[in-house]
């Protein structure tokens, strides 16, 4: 019997966990030929998420959890899930039920057909903000142009990964992660499915604008050096035109003599070139910051406890009670 791990990063999701657990039970009960593991990664929640997961794990042996020592972010939480997942395949989904659990059956079907990365593309987003929708589309378009491999427009983390894919992702131990680019980087046989994104079942999104911007920058700087090359080209072009301008000014001085005219032009040129230099230094700084972070070689996350440790602790307590009863 094959084992399938459903990996769910969770951060302050106490309101939605009961509905999610019920939905998972309904779907997986129809796939009785498989063994399921519900692996929750509690990413430093401050509400009752940890308590609920502990209760679920005691009630249902399929429920496992990994509790991180603090909030490391979804990307790192998924890495922790890859490290602890035991399934022959891993299905990644959000805890807020925007990813329809009903698609698990379709994931499994295509996996059995030989596909190793069955991913989803949103054909309709729940996001109502037109700016965020446009920004998301623009980001994927830019990422595709900058990457040397195919990044599917609208493809997210809601997908099934074969064990071979999971092992490949575990080998990529970057701290500043952008897993969407990693899915494309590792390759393997892929299958795209479309789905309609649902509204959150409860609670509010935990993604802030600053976090989304950081994720976008990580995606661009992690998988392409084109921004660095772009500023090299811009520098060469500006230097070329500056040299032409210098020649023109020298010829004018030789023919007409010197003049104090052109002060506004001089200021404009200084401001323009200064802005170009600052922007290019910012691009270089982003790459340098990544190098600085990675060379420290710190662990990507720390685990506070896991459900396995809880199980061993309870087993030890039972054994101690039995010893006291039967010395």
């Amino acid at each position: 019997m094959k084992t399938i791990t459903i990996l769910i990063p969770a951060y302050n999701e106490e309101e939605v966990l009961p509905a999610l657990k019920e939905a998972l039970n309904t779907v997986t009960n129809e796939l009785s030929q498989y063994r399921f593991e519900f692996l929750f990664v509690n990413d430093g929640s401050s509400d009752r998420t940890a308590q609920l997961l502990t209760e679920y794990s005691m009630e249902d042996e399929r429920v496992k959890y990994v509790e991180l020592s603090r909030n490391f972010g979804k990307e790192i939480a998924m890495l922790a899930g890859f490290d602890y997942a035991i399934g022959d395949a891993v299905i990644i989904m959000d805890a807020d039920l925007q990813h329809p659990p009903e698609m698990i059956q379709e994931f499994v079907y295509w996996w059995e057909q030989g596909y190793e990365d069955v991913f989803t593309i949103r054909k309709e987003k729940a996001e109502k903000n037109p700016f965020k929708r446009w920004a998301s589309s623009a980001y994927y378009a830019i990422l595709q142009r900058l990457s040397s491999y195919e990044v599917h427009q609208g493809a997210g983390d809601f997908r099934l990964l074969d064990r071979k894919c999971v092992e490949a992702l575990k080998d990529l131990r970057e701290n500043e992660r952008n897993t969407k680019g990693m899915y494309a980087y590792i390759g393997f046989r892929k299958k795209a499915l479309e789905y309609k994104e649902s509204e959150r079942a409860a609670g509010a999104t935990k993604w802030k604008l600053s976090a989304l911007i950081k994720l976008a920058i990580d995606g661009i700087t992690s998988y392409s050096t084109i921004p660095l090359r772009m500023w090299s080209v811009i520098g060469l072009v500006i230097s070329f035109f500056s040299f032409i301008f210098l020649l023109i000014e020298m010829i004018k001085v030789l023919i007409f003599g010197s003049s104090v005219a052109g002060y506004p032009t001089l200021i404009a040129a200084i401001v323009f070139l200064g802005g170009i230099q600052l922007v290019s230094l910012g691009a270089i700084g982003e790459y340098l910051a990544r190098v600085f972070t990675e060379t420290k070689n710190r662990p990507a996350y720390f685990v506070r406890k896991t459900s396995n440790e809880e199980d061993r602790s309870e087993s030890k307590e039972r054994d101690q009670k039995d010893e006291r009863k039967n010395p």
Side-chain angles (χ1 to χ4, degrees):
M1 182 180 289
K2 294 181 179 179
T3 299
I4 299 175
T5 297
I6 301 179
L7 169 58
I8 307 167
Y11 176 62
N12 290 343
E13 297 288 1
E14 65 169 329
E15 296 180 50
V16 76
L17 284 180
L20 173 62
K21 179 67 164 52
E22 182 178 350
L24 291 177
N25 286 335
T26 301
V27 172
T28 55
N29 286 340
E30 298 178 5
L31 295 168
S32 56
Q33 67 272 37
Y34 298 95
R35 181 185 297 110
F36 282 91
E37 174 193 40
F38 304 153
L39 178 59
F40 292 86
V41 181
N42 180 17
D43 190 22
S45 299
S46 57
D47 61 359
R48 294 180 61 252
T49 296
Q51 180 180 339
L52 289 175
L53 293 179
T54 301
E55 294 174 2
Y56 293 159
S57 68
M58 295 174 63
E59 298 168 357
D60 187 345
E61 63 179 7
R62 298 175 300 174
V63 177
K64 304 295 181 182
Y65 66 83
V66 177
E67 185 175 337
L68 303 185
S69 61
R70 64 171 176 84
N71 178 235
F72 286 90
K74 181 183 177 182
E75 297 291 321
I76 299 298
M78 287 193 295
L79 174 61
F82 296 149
D83 289 340
Y84 281 84
I86 63 172
D88 301 294
V90 174
I91 296 174
I92 309 167
M93 62 182 298
D94 290 346
D96 55 17
L97 284 176
Q98 287 192 292
H99 296 159
E102 298 78 24
M103 290 200 67
I104 291 176
Q105 293 184 359
E106 195 170 357
F107 281 152
V108 174
Y109 170 79
W110 289 110
W111 175 50
E112 293 289 12
Q113 303 308 307
Y115 291 96
E116 296 149 331
D117 181 358
V118 185
F119 65 93
T120 56
I121 297 176
R122 291 172 297 187
K123 64 179 180 180
E124 187 174 337
K125 299 179 182 179
E127 177 60 59
K128 296 296 190 296
N129 189 321
F131 173 75
K132 287 186 177 180
R133 292 167 66 95
W134 170 84
S136 176
S137 299
Y139 166 68
Y140 277 104
I142 294 171
L143 191 60
Q144 177 59 69
R145 286 184 174 273
L146 295 180
S147 299
S148 57
Y149 35 82
E150 186 175 9
V151 179
H152 296 275
Q153 176 78 19
D157 297 313
F158 185 33
R159 61 180 65 212
L160 178 146
L161 298 170
D162 185 82
R163 169 52 60 179
K164 292 189 289 290
C165 298
V166 174
E167 292 300 324
L169 291 169
K170 286 168 62 176
D171 287 339
L172 305 177
R173 306 302 298 188
E174 303 165 21
N175 284 284
E176 299 293 335
R177 302 177 66 82
N178 186 285
T179 315
K180 294 177 180 62
M182 291 180 178
Y183 299 138
Y185 176 76
I186 63 174
F188 293 99
R189 193 180 180 200
K190 299 183 184 294
K191 173 68 177 179
L193 304 176
E194 289 188 340
Y195 80 103
K196 177 182 177 182
E197 188 177 64
S198 306
E199 296 284 349
R200 282 185 62 92
T205 180
K206 310 303 185 300
W207 283 101
K208 298 180 181 179
L209 181 60
S210 59
L212 292 172
I213 293 174
K214 180 181 182 300
L215 183 64
I217 293 174
D218 287 343
I220 293 172
T221 56
S222 293
Y223 308 106
S224 175
T225 57
I226 289 180
L228 291 177
R229 296 175 182 173
M230 178 182 69
W231 288 112
S232 298
V233 172
I234 290 174
L236 288 173
V237 171
I238 292 176
S239 297
F240 173 77
F241 283 106
S242 299
F243 181 72
I244 297 298
F245 178 74
L246 177 61
L247 287 179
I248 293 173
E249 290 299 315
M250 290 177 64
I251 293 172
K252 287 172 62 178
V253 169
L254 291 174
I255 296 175
F256 303 106
S258 60
S259 173
V260 296
Y263 177 76
T265 306
L266 179 63
I267 294 300
I270 292 174
V271 172
F272 173 72
L273 292 175
I276 290 292
Q277 290 173 342
L278 290 175
V279 173
S280 61
L281 285 174
I284 295 171
E286 288 292 336
Y287 284 90
L288 184 59
R290 295 187 64 84
V291 172
F292 172 70
T293 300
E294 298 301 333
T295 53
K296 288 189 288 187
N297 201 29
R298 292 179 177 177
Y301 63 89
F302 293 99
V303 174
R304 182 172 178 270
K305 68 175 181 177
T306 68
S307 52
N308 290 335
E309 293 174 359
E310 194 78 20
D311 293 340
R312 287 196 296 269
S313 176
E314 292 179 0
S315 177
K316 185 177 180 180
E317 289 180 3
R318 286 195 297 268
D319 291 343
Q320 290 175 345
K321 289 180 181 179
D322 291 340
E323 288 177 2
R324 286 194 294 269
K325 291 181 179 178
N326 304 297

